[in-house]
Amino acid sequence: MRTRIAAVAMVAAGITGLVAAPAVAATATSGTDTAVCATVLNQPCVSHQIDGQGIVGIAQVSADPGQLTMVRVEIRSQAAWGSPWETVTSATTVQFGSAKATTARVAVSGPRMICATAGPAMDVSKQTTTCTNPF
C-alpha cells in the first residue's frame, strides 16, 4: 500500500513538473523591458520587473501573423499565505500576430505572482495560461 501511494505521489510530482516547466523557463527579463523567452507559438511568456516603486507584469506570445491573438497579463497577490489569490491589476492586448501586454506599475506587499493567458482570440479552447511561482 505504501509503495502504491509513493508511486502515485511521484507520478503527480512529475506531471506537476512538466506543467510548471514553461512558466519557470520563461521568467527572465532583459534591460530593455522585453521578456526573453522561447518562441513556442501560442504559449505565453511571463516576466516581471520590480523596483522601489512597485512591480510591473509583462507577457508576450508568438503567433502566426494572420492569427487574431489575445494576451492578458495579471499581477495576483494574497493578503497572507494560504488566502485566495486576488488580481491586483491586469492588461490585455488583442492584435494580429505576436502580441505583448504590460500592466501598470503597482505597489503590492505579501505573496504575489504573475499570470498570463494567450492564444487565438476567437478560440478560447486553444488559449493557455502560465504563471510564475509565488515570490
Side-chain angles (χ1 to χ4, degrees), residues 19 21-23 26 37-46 60-63 116-119 126-131:
V19 171
C37 62
T39 57
V40 178
L41 293 179
N42 295 317
Q43 178 67 38
C45 176
V46 183
Q60 65 185 32
V61 63
S62 297
T117 300
K126 293 183 180 176
Q127 295 176 3
T128 60
T129 300
T130 300
C131 294

Side-chain angles (χ1 to χ4, degrees), residues 57-123:
I58 305 162
Q60 65 185 32
V61 63
S62 297
D64 183 86
Q67 172 183 293
L68 185 61
T69 306
M70 184 278 306
V71 62
R72 176 181 171 88
V73 62
E74 301 176 345
I75 298 176
R76 296 180 184 174
S77 181
Q78 288 180 317
W81 283 102
S83 64
W85 288 98
E86 298 179 13
T87 299
V88 177
T89 187
S90 66
T92 304
T93 300
V94 177
Q95 67 184 40
F96 282 97
S98 299
K100 179 179 179 181
T102 304
T103 67
R105 184 175 308 277
V106 292
V108 180
S109 61
R112 56 201 168 211
M113 71 177 161
I114 312 299
C115 293
T117 300
M122 304 304 285
D123 191 351

